Amino acid sequence: MSILVIAEHDNGSLKDETLNTVTAAVQIGGNVDLLLAGENCNAVAEQAAKISGVNRVLVADHSVYAHQLAENISLLVTELAADYSHVLAPATTNGKNFMPRVAATLDVSQISEITAVVSVDTFKRPIYAGNAIATVQSMDKVKVITVRATGFDAAACDGSATIESLDKVTDAGLSSFVKEELAQSDRPGLTSAKVIISGGRGMGNSSNFNLLEQVADKLGAAVGASRAAVDAGYAPNDMQVGQTGKIVAPDLYIAVGISGAIQHLAGMKDSKVIVAINKDEEAPIFQVADFGLVDDLFDAVPELAHSL
Amino acid sequence: MKVLVAVKRVIDYNIKVRVKSDQSGVDLTNVKMAMNPFCEIAVEEAVRLKEKGVADEVIVVSIGPKVAQEQIRTAMALGADRGILVETDEPLESLAIAKLLAKVVEVEQPDLVILGKQSIDADNNQTGQMLGTLAGMSQGTFASEINVGENCVEVTREIDGGLQTLSLNLPAIITTDLRLNEPRYASLPNIMKAKRKPLDVKTPADFGVNVISGLKTLLVESPQERSAGVLVGSVGELVEKLKNEAKVI
Ligand SMILES: Cc1cc2nc3c(=O)[nH]c(=O)nc-3n(C[C@H](O)[C@H](O)[C@H](O)COP(=O)(O)OP(=O)(O)OC[C@H]3O[C@@H](n4cnc5c(N)ncnc54)[C@H](O)[C@@H]3O)c2cc1C
Ligand SMILES: Cc1cc2nc3c(=O)[nH]c(=O)nc-3n(C[C@H](O)[C@H](O)[C@H](O)COP(=O)(O)OP(=O)(O)OC[C@H]3O[C@@H](n4cnc5c(N)ncnc54)[C@H](O)[C@@H]3O)c2cc1C
């Protein structure tokens, strides 16, 4: 068995989700190679070579891969896939973008967002916003899989893989990059933070999110939001936690002014400890919270920031 | 230009599903079904393109049982011109759905195909991308804004780090994210009008598509339930518990 893992990175550094995906690959068993496709990504290759469990880092460094265009990346992965029994990518927006193209070209099904490896061909994945867990078996010749990072621990980084460069250039010529507006933040990313404090519609406006940031500063936490808060313009889209936003499982998740709709719970209910602050004691969020505080957030949150 | 929209019949998003006691799947008997929310957004976007004079025909297609005609009629009440149902009682997987949609694309030759980014039942997030490859088209997934130009379409995508804008050659695939638009409600006269719009019924066999899947669902279980914890009386008590009991801060 031989497994190809696709690295998630921004040409400058490796994203943590890659480490969780390698762990899933190691659990399946066999030889694990990592594909790094990007432009001027040498520094990332050095980082990737240290991931324990990885045998070779295959680097495809070319401008056609600079922005991870799905059409180009999927062609590259499809060509390489012939040598592997499994192809794994993190279930990030990037992995979700190109992996189904790989599967369709190989004429195999994709198994989306696995959270556990049962055997070499059998995996668990949540469906219906996490309200049911399906165990699925794949009979396909190549298993194309995306991995939900919260289901697996991060691989350690004390390995020494060999780095090999690929000279394959696969340019579909179908799309081009125009621009990017990325959030600038010194805080930890939502999907890797140990503590997250999220605000919902109850926050009332975008400047009130500062209240959450004061708590986040004290705890080294990331700040998240419900869809209602994002839709209302209180927070940018990349902060949305939930079924259709980011899936998180920190040690501590503090939900402030969030009612606890199933779509929101789907994104955070695997957190170790959940705290809810809400003025409505009937809010469904209290049904999943380890510690609930029925209070006005405009009193409770500043007090919390003070007492930390 | 011609726009094709794929819509899926799914469980209503307000309903919390229950796993069957024999663990063969989730219990869908007598639960309310509706159009997948992301597909509603796809229909709305297509109809807006028509209202702006960018599109001249909006075709809606669904693959599913006979009753999926309801969702096609709903889409037509929202403004789609005609519908196609590829009727099957088998629960098909994304790859089979994408293959059938590719056949519909071959027949209809749309300039733009709009799909939801994921369906809220399977949560697969695959069909549009698979169709993209099979139909040889470019793709703009998780779209929050689209602007159609000459022979190309600019798509702003919601990605993990923020927003990314791509330019796609036409014909192209677009999958919708939540903030692309807010779907309208169908008015009564439009619901009545939709009943007279043409709806073609086909079968997978008409297209000669092999819908056999390489995946087998062995088991569907309930997730581990979280039980409610305790209510604390004050911020002080909360901090104390987080420090000493849960030891997370
Ligand atoms: C297809 C689909 C996908 C979705 N995906 C997601 C998703 O990924 N993530 C997501 O979050 N949602 C998602 N949703 C939306 C979801 O259904 C809810 O609408 C949303 O989560 C509600 O956000 P909220 O809890 O912030 O707002 P509300 O439900 O309006 O709750 C606000 C809460 O704040 C409390 N509050 C108000 N003022 C105060 C105060 N001063 N002090 C304390 N408490 C206060 C209120 O008591 C209330 O409980 C999705 C919906 C659909 C249809
Ligand atoms: C009763 C029933 C039971 C099922 N059980 C299982 C199961 O146990 N395991 C399993 O893997 N699958 C099962 N399926 C199939 C599964 O629900 C999906 O139909 C299939 O996986 C297609 O992918 P998706 O809907 O997740 O697509 P996604 O890629 O999540 O959907 C994205 C978009 O593709 C389009 N689309 C998807 N499906 C259709 C369609 N039918 N017609 C038109 N457009 C469509 C829509 O625009 C949608 O928004 C079942 C289906 C049914 C009806």
Side-chain angles (χ1 to χ4, degrees), chain B residues 6-8 28 36 39 61-63 91-94 97 101 115-119 121-127 217:
Chain B
V7 304
K8 186 179 179 191
L28 294 177
N36 183 38
C39 301
V61 55
S62 189
I63 298 158
L92 301 183
E93 242 187 74
S94 303
I97 302 275
L101 291 175
L115 303 91
K117 80 162 175 179
Q118 79 192 62
S119 58
D121 51 359
D123 283 335
N124 272 345
N125 199 329
Q126 304 177 356
T127 307
T217 300

Side-chain angles (χ1 to χ4, degrees), chain A residues 67 69-71 92-93 96-97 100-101 103-105 107-112 122 124-125 127-140 173-183 219 227 230-231 237-238 240 243-244 246 251-252 262-263 269 271-275 286-293 300 303-304 307-308, chain B residues 11 13-17 19 26 28 38 93 95 99 117-118 120-126 129-130 132-134 136-139 141-142 154 157-169 178-179 213-223 226-236 238-239 241-243 245-246 248-249:
Chain A
H67 300 287
L69 295 176
E71 296 82 354
T92 53
T93 48
K96 289 173 182 170
N97 194 28
R101 289 185 81 102
T105 313
D107 198 25
V108 300
S109 297
Q110 172 180 300
I111 310 168
S112 293
T122 306
K124 288 189 192 261
R125 60 174 303 260
I127 52 176
Y128 292 92
N131 287 304
I133 311 290
T135 303
V136 291
Q137 183 178 26
S138 165
M139 267 75 75
D140 286 321
L174 289 172
S175 59
S176 56
F177 173 80
V178 178
K179 65 175 183 201
E180 216 157 51
E181 294 157 51
L182 299 183
L219 293 174
R227 173 186 167 186
V230 176
D231 284 357
N237 68 279
D238 52 279
Q240 181 180 318
Q243 180 184 18
T244 54
K246 293 205 169 74
D251 290 343
L252 174 59
I262 49 178
Q263 293 86 5
K269 70 176 179 207
S271 306
K272 210 146 117 213
V273 175
I274 297 174
V275 169
F286 287 120
Q287 286 160 26
V288 299
D290 300 281
F291 303 107
L293 178 62
E303 195 185 333
L304 180 61
S307 51
L308 289 169
Chain B
I11 186 168
Y13 79 92
N14 285 308
I15 293 168
K16 187 167 175 199
V17 297
V19 170
V26 300
L28 294 177
F38 290 98
E93 242 187 74
L95 182 61
K99 284 181 181 174
K117 80 162 175 179
Q118 79 192 62
I120 58 162
D121 51 359
D123 283 335
N124 272 345
N125 199 329
Q126 304 177 356
Q129 298 88 312
M130 288 182 159
T133 293
L134 298 177
M137 293 186 192
S138 56
Q139 72 186 36
T141 50
F142 329 139
E154 253 190 34
R157 310 176 51 230
E158 297 199 357
I159 59 169
D160 285 338
L163 298 170
Q164 181 191 57
T165 307
L166 300 178
S167 172
L168 311 176
N169 298 356
L178 292 169
R179 281 162 289 271
S213 159
L215 283 189
K216 210 161 74 186
T217 300
L218 304 180
L219 189 75
V220 176
E221 309 160 88
S222 291
R226 277 192 97 94
S227 45
V230 295
L231 285 182
V232 294
S234 68
V235 170
L238 175 64
V239 172
K241 285 209 185 302
L242 291 178
K243 275 193 179 136
E245 203 170 293
V248 284
I249 58 172

Side-chain angles (χ1 to χ4, degrees), chain A residues 197-204 212 226 228 253-261 264-265 268 274-289 291-302 304, chain B residues 230-235 238:
Chain A
I197 180 161
S198 289
R201 200 196 315 262
M203 297 306 298
L212 304 184
S226 72
Y253 188 91
I254 308 175
V256 181
I258 292 177
S259 61
H264 188 81
L265 299 185
M268 44 63 79
I274 297 174
V275 169
I277 300 176
N278 195 307
K279 67 178 180 190
D280 172 11
E281 62 184 306
E282 303 289 327
I285 189 78
F286 287 120
Q287 286 160 26
V288 299
F291 303 107
L293 178 62
V294 181
D295 198 356
D296 193 301
L297 73 92
F298 296 105
D299 297 328
V301 177
L304 180 61
Chain B
V230 295
L231 285 182
V232 294
S234 68
V235 170
L238 175 64

Side-chain angles (χ1 to χ4, degrees), chain A residues 46-193:
Chain A
E46 300 291 334
Q47 262 182 297
K50 297 203 176 74
I51 306 175
S52 314
V54 174
N55 187 30
R56 296 185 302 165
V57 177
L58 309 174
V59 184
D61 192 325
H62 194 279
S63 58
V64 299
Y65 307 127
H67 300 287
Q68 305 290 323
L69 295 176
E71 296 82 354
N72 298 351
I73 300 278
S74 61
L75 281 178
L76 174 67
V77 176
T78 308
E79 278 193 32
L80 295 174
D83 297 334
Y84 295 91
S85 55
H86 299 69
V87 180
L88 271 60
T92 53
T93 48
N94 187 36
K96 289 173 182 170
N97 194 28
F98 70 81
M99 284 291 266
R101 289 185 81 102
V102 173
T105 313
L106 296 172
D107 198 25
V108 300
S109 297
Q110 172 180 300
I111 310 168
S112 293
E113 301 215 25
I114 64 162
T115 51
V117 173
V118 178
S119 72
V120 293
D121 63 3
T122 306
F123 309 92
K124 288 189 192 261
R125 60 174 303 260
I127 52 176
Y128 292 92
N131 287 304
I133 311 290
T135 303
V136 291
Q137 183 178 26
S138 165
M139 267 75 75
D140 286 321
K141 54 187 188 302
V142 183
K143 287 143 186 76
V144 174
I145 297 169
T146 62
V147 175
R148 184 176 287 188
T150 54
F152 300 89
D153 293 334
C157 289
D158 53 10
S160 55
T162 55
I163 300 179
E164 293 175 24
S165 60
L166 300 173
D167 46 20
K168 284 195 171 68
V169 178
T170 50
D171 183 2
L174 289 172
S175 59
S176 56
F177 173 80
V178 178
K179 65 175 183 201
E180 216 157 51
E181 294 157 51
L182 299 183
Q184 302 295 335
S185 168
D186 301 331
R187 295 185 196 290
L190 272 174
T191 46
S192 54

